[in-house]
Amino acid sequence: MARPTDEQRREMLVDMVTARVQSQRIFNLQRQGRVGTMAPVDGHEATIVGAAHALDTDHDWVLPQYREPIALRRYGPEMLEHVMLYNIGHPAGGHIPAPIRVLPYQISLATQIPHAVGLAWGLTLQDDPGVVLVFFGDGSSSEGDFYEAGNLAGVLGAPVIFLCVNNQWAISTPVHLQTAAESFAAKAAAFGFPGIQIDGNDVDAVYDAVQTARTRALAGKGPTLIEAVVYRLGPHTTADDPTRYVPAEDLEAARRSDPIKRLRTELETAGLWDDDVQAEVEEAALAALDAALEKARSTPLAPDAMLDHCYTTDTQRLARQRAGLLAEAGPGGSAR
Ligand SMILES: Cc1ncc(C[n+]2csc(CCOP(=O)(O)OP(=O)(O)O)c2C)c(N)n1
Ligand SMILES: [Mg+2]
């Protein structure tokens, strides 16, 4: 079993606390009308952070859905800038500059999964020593893209890790209405590669599962499907009222398994964490968030920015539209 060191576990808790505090602040900013709709991270931290810490940020790629980017701090401070640009609706939030190996937010369910397989197969063709980890939800697993991508990955033996975050809900659809399968992990049998179910609130279990899958992928043995079982502790998004459908007793039970409480208790017992550290981490997280929001708000917005990052070079139609937008804005024009 690959076990993280004490120092890694401490770093993981820093990332988990940072993500939750920042996510809660962004939630409040939405309530003030300062950012758009957002999906809180609460309850998913051990899975996202544990996975990120098992990867090599210099070589391995991460394709998130929409709940993960705030917890991918390990990939660099640029991630928070991306999150804030995205949250204010700035077109620059649709792109993460190199060398960060993380793709932008994906709202259209499951489309990141075939992208991950293509990217992973591309790495193999280029003899690039990296793997690709793709996050998707229990709800996304019902999309055709998941099955097509899983099948192709199995056939190609692509170096990809499918990480299904089973948080029990797809908005208001509970897992028992999502699938009649015994588990999401069991679906790997149809693709011809291993599928394992783990406790996604246990950062050590996530770290171990991702390390094992990574080693396997790098050895040319192909993909792994990991189902991380967690519980969505917050609303689906700022546009949701979960009190209408989440049973209060289930939520209460899930709160007792809160991944942050769990790791914090363990680290406190080992003398590696205390209230002062907690306060310092929270303060630094909020300061970083304020700075990233400020930076995002002052990022210039070119009138034709929405056409950037669609293609490497504009198609003829895009080029015409770009010229039209620039002409409309006039010299030195801005979209704001
Ligand atoms: C192709 C597509 N269909 C429907 C939606 C609407 N939608 C947005 S989030 C969501 C639920 C997704 O659930 P899950 O994959 O479990 O992720 P979670 O929100 O639980 O993290 C749905 C149905 C969408 N964004 N894209
Ligand atoms: Mg879900």
Side-chain angles (χ1 to χ4, degrees):
M1 174 162 178
R3 252 191 86 79
T5 61
D6 280 353
E7 186 45 37
Q8 282 176 309
R9 296 178 94 226
R10 207 181 153 282
E11 271 303 308
M12 290 198 267
L13 186 55
V14 170
D15 286 3
M16 288 163 65
V17 170
T18 300
R20 182 162 306 180
V21 165
Q22 289 176 341
S23 174
Q24 288 175 348
R25 169 68 63 92
I26 299 170
F27 188 94
N28 293 337
L29 289 170
Q30 192 279 344
R31 290 291 183 255
Q32 295 163 18
R34 297 174 71 198
V35 305
T37 305
M38 61 81 75
V41 77
D42 307 50
H44 305 75
E45 296 89 346
T47 292
I48 309 165
V49 170
H53 278 257
L55 296 175
D56 172 355
T57 55
D58 288 336
H59 295 103
D60 299 338
W61 290 80
V62 174
L63 276 68
Q65 192 155 289
Y66 42 72
R67 222 176 277 287
E68 294 86 18
I70 190 71
L72 292 173
R73 176 175 181 266
R74 182 157 187 270
Y75 268 79
E78 296 84 353
M79 281 309 299
L80 185 58
E81 288 170 17
H82 166 65
V83 166
M84 295 322 293
L85 281 165
Y86 180 86
N87 275 290
I88 65 167
H90 195 296
H95 173 70
I96 302 180
I100 309 295
R101 288 176 166 76
V102 178
L103 265 63
Y105 279 74
Q106 182 56 266
I107 302 293
S108 182
L109 291 184
T111 50
Q112 75 276 19
I113 313 177
H115 294 166
V117 176
L119 178 55
W121 183 233
L123 295 180
T124 300
L125 294 179
Q126 294 175 4
D127 280 329
D128 185 311
V131 305
V132 179
L133 182 141
V134 56
F135 288 104
F136 57 98
D138 43 284
S140 284
S141 78
S142 293
E143 294 284 343
D145 275 352
F146 166 66
Y147 296 94
E148 295 169 31
N151 186 65
L152 183 64
V155 170
L156 296 173
V160 55
I161 303 168
F162 295 88
L163 208 170
C164 177
V165 187
N166 172 8
N167 65 1
Q168 318 296 325
W169 297 97
I171 313 185
S172 56
T173 302
V175 273
H176 73 270
L177 296 179
Q178 194 65 250
T179 183
E182 182 183 308
S183 69
F184 292 98
K187 297 182 183 230
F191 307 140
F193 52 77
I196 59 161
Q197 191 186 54
I198 57 166
D199 177 355
N201 287 326
D202 178 351
V203 83
D204 295 344
V206 178
Y207 181 88
D208 178 47
V210 173
Q211 274 261 312
T212 305
R214 179 172 185 274
T215 306
R216 196 184 134 79
L218 286 177
K221 294 181 183 163
T224 303
L225 169 61
I226 300 170
E227 173 189 353
V229 181
V230 300
Y231 201 94
R232 198 191 74 207
L233 297 176
H236 169 64
T237 63
T238 39
D240 177 41
D241 175 8
T243 62
R244 295 170 64 111
Y245 62 86
V246 173
E249 59 279 14
D250 290 6
L251 185 59
E252 186 58 33
R255 286 200 188 286
R256 287 197 287 274
S257 308
D258 182 321
I260 291 189
K261 266 192 216 156
R262 177 169 171 170
L263 185 56
R264 185 175 167 178
T265 306
E266 288 176 19
L267 293 191
E268 279 175 349
T269 309
L272 296 167
W273 197 271
D274 58 29
D275 290 349
D276 289 346
V277 177
Q278 178 80 21
E280 259 171 51
V281 170
E282 289 183 2
E283 200 181 312
L286 293 177
L289 186 118
D290 289 345
L293 176 60
E294 211 32 63
K295 189 165 174 189
R297 290 172 65 87
S298 57
T299 298
L301 183 56
D304 56 341
M306 69 174 165
L307 304 181
D308 292 346
H309 314 301
C310 295
Y311 296 93
T312 309
T313 49
D314 285 351
T315 59
Q316 277 186 0
R317 180 183 293 180
L318 275 189
R320 269 200 311 277
Q321 291 175 351
R322 192 185 289 282
L325 285 166
L326 290 170
E328 205 173 294
S334 154
R336 294 203 160 180

